[in-house]
Amino acid sequence: MKLAILCRYFPKDAIGGGENYIYEIWKRAKNDYDTSLISGWKKDPNLLPEDTNKIDLRNKNPVYNYLKFFKQSGKYLKEIKPDLIQSTCYEFPSLGIPTVITVCHLGHLMGKVDTNLKRRLQRDITIKRFKKTNHLIAISKSTMNDLIKLGIPQSKISLAYTGINVENYKIKKTNNKKFTIICPSRISREKGQHIAIQAVKLLPKEVRENIKLQIVGFVNDETYLKELKNLSKDLDVEFLSNVPKIEDYIMNSDLLVFPTMMWEGFGIVAGEGLACEKPVISSDYPSIREVTGPYGLFVKPGDAKELSENILKVYKNEDLRERISKGGRKWIVDNYSWDRVYKEHKKVYDRII
């Protein structure tokens, strides 16, 4: 079977949960199918696999990029003539080819979007495309429920949790001079790094002086990064942008915070923290509760005071840190295997073809 995999971006040109997801599926699919990859790029096309069908998306106008991806991906699909398309995006033409779209998150389409013309148009186009697609794969029960709320028949949706490469996350006893808190995510306002900085500012002075905050991630918004640096003056905050292996920093931390402002589709960052036997404090969204099971600590999104209180609780309570750490890693090992995720995809492919 000829399989075409489509995505807006792909490692190592871009690094994030969605990019890692499609990479893991592509890596396994190559062993089973005649697989072609179609991907956009925005930094360096040479960072993509050599045989990728590449689309230049460096333009800062998202509408231009959407139309370019639509046109170029259609051209590639006509050349490849696949039996099946697997995609994590929907801006490609319907060519009568059986299609599976993996839906990573829908937060931008949920809630009150009717007053925002751009969001409403995006939602309407997305729903229309999803309804025409042969099958959708949701990466969490929360995302599946969101699809149903948008009017997608449940019979068209399968659940396949994203995986976590636990073997990449080693258990490491830290010996940091200061209690080190890591906030690892794409550096973009919706990920809430400013909430983490504000929370540290609210800690008692004697605790704050023994805290080091590391903000680690792919820079998506340079203006926001400058704001964060200004906000963090007089604090011990280290900014580590575009690092090759974010897991190295998670393993060397004492606590992971994930104050995202997004309605996350999965919240892999929280799972990565548990995989490293680190306590995790996250914004309270249903999908993140799915990831962490009984081992996460949660705060109201955007509430720096509540986050600060929970940081203080973890900082002071070694027994709490130990309980979360040991149980959390086992939870991830037992529930989030990439091989299991891929098997669920294969079941869908076999059903459609």
Side-chain angles (χ1 to χ4, degrees), residues 87-269:
S87 179
T88 51
C89 59
Y90 56 83
E91 54 267 37
F92 57 93
S94 297
L95 300 173
I97 303 168
T99 299
V100 176
I101 295 179
T102 298
V103 184
C104 294
H105 71 89
L106 293 165
H108 57 300
L109 304 182
M110 305 305 294
K112 297 178 181 179
V113 300
D114 290 336
T115 57
N116 185 315
L117 179 60
K118 179 183 175 182
R119 293 287 191 196
R120 189 167 73 245
L121 181 62
Q122 187 179 16
R123 182 187 63 185
D124 293 346
I125 291 172
T126 303
I127 292 172
K128 185 176 180 181
R129 184 57 194 268
F130 283 173
K131 287 183 175 179
K132 287 185 175 180
T133 300
N134 297 79
H135 205 78
L136 304 173
I137 294 176
I139 67 168
S140 67
K141 289 179 183 175
S142 176
T143 300
M144 175 181 276
N145 290 336
D146 288 342
L147 285 167
I148 293 169
K149 287 176 186 176
L150 290 174
I152 309 302
Q154 190 168 351
S155 59
K156 291 187 68 169
I157 311 168
S158 293
L159 174 65
Y161 286 112
T162 193
I164 296 174
N165 288 318
V166 179
E167 62 275 11
N168 292 344
Y169 299 92
K170 310 301 181 185
I171 302 167
K172 186 171 183 179
K173 189 74 174 177
T174 59
N175 189 28
N176 298 315
K177 291 182 179 179
K178 288 187 175 183
F179 187 84
T180 301
I181 302 171
I182 188 169
C183 183
S185 280
R186 179 179 72 248
I187 297 177
S188 188
R189 188 175 301 278
E190 68 271 14
K191 291 297 184 178
Q193 285 92 348
H194 59 288
I195 304 298
I197 294 172
Q198 291 166 358
V200 172
K201 281 187 173 183
L202 291 172
L203 291 168
K205 184 174 183 290
E206 66 275 12
V207 175
R208 190 170 64 244
E209 289 176 345
N210 192 40
I211 295 289
K212 181 184 185 70
L213 175 63
Q214 292 183 323
I215 292 178
V216 188
F218 176 83
V219 178
N220 194 60
D221 186 336
E222 293 284 355
T223 301
Y224 180 58
L225 178 60
K226 290 178 183 177
E227 290 178 22
L228 293 176
K229 289 181 177 179
N230 288 331
L231 183 63
S232 64
K233 286 179 180 177
D234 302 322
L235 295 175
D236 188 355
V237 180
E238 183 178 14
F239 292 90
L240 298 157
S241 57
N242 305 328
V243 299
K245 294 181 70 177
I246 202 167
E247 57 264 32
D248 289 344
Y249 296 91
I250 299 176
M251 288 185 284
N252 283 304
S253 69
D254 297 297
L255 167 66
L256 185 148
V257 296
F258 185 37
T260 178
M261 308 285 285
M262 289 178 60
W263 185 271
E264 298 283 344
F266 185 74
I268 193 170
V269 166

Side-chain angles (χ1 to χ4, degrees), residues 194-196 198-200 202 300-309:
H194 59 288
I195 304 298
Q198 291 166 358
V200 172
L202 291 172
K300 182 180 178 182
D303 194 329
K305 183 174 182 294
E306 189 178 4
L307 177 58
S308 184
E309 290 168 352

Side-chain angles (χ1 to χ4, degrees), residues 277-336:
E277 288 200 352
K278 306 301 176 183
V280 173
I281 306 172
S282 300
S283 296
D284 194 356
Y285 291 111
S287 60
I288 303 178
R289 283 188 175 270
E290 287 183 62
V291 178
T292 59
Y295 298 101
L297 296 173
F298 297 95
V299 299
K300 182 180 178 182
D303 194 329
K305 183 174 182 294
E306 189 178 4
L307 177 58
S308 184
E309 290 168 352
N310 275 267
I311 289 173
L312 187 60
K313 180 167 67 174
V314 172
Y315 175 83
K316 289 183 172 182
N317 193 331
E318 188 174 347
D319 289 341
L320 175 63
R321 297 201 300 269
E322 186 73 10
R323 180 185 65 81
I324 292 174
S325 299
K326 297 298 183 185
R329 181 177 171 90
K330 185 176 186 304
W331 170 265
I332 297 300
V333 170
D334 291 345
N335 290 280
Y336 298 107

Side-chain angles (χ1 to χ4, degrees), residues 24-36:
E24 293 291 344
I25 298 301
W26 167 80
K27 183 170 71 173
R28 288 163 175 78
K30 288 195 303 175
N31 297 324
D32 294 324
Y33 307 111
D34 178 4
T35 302
S36 299

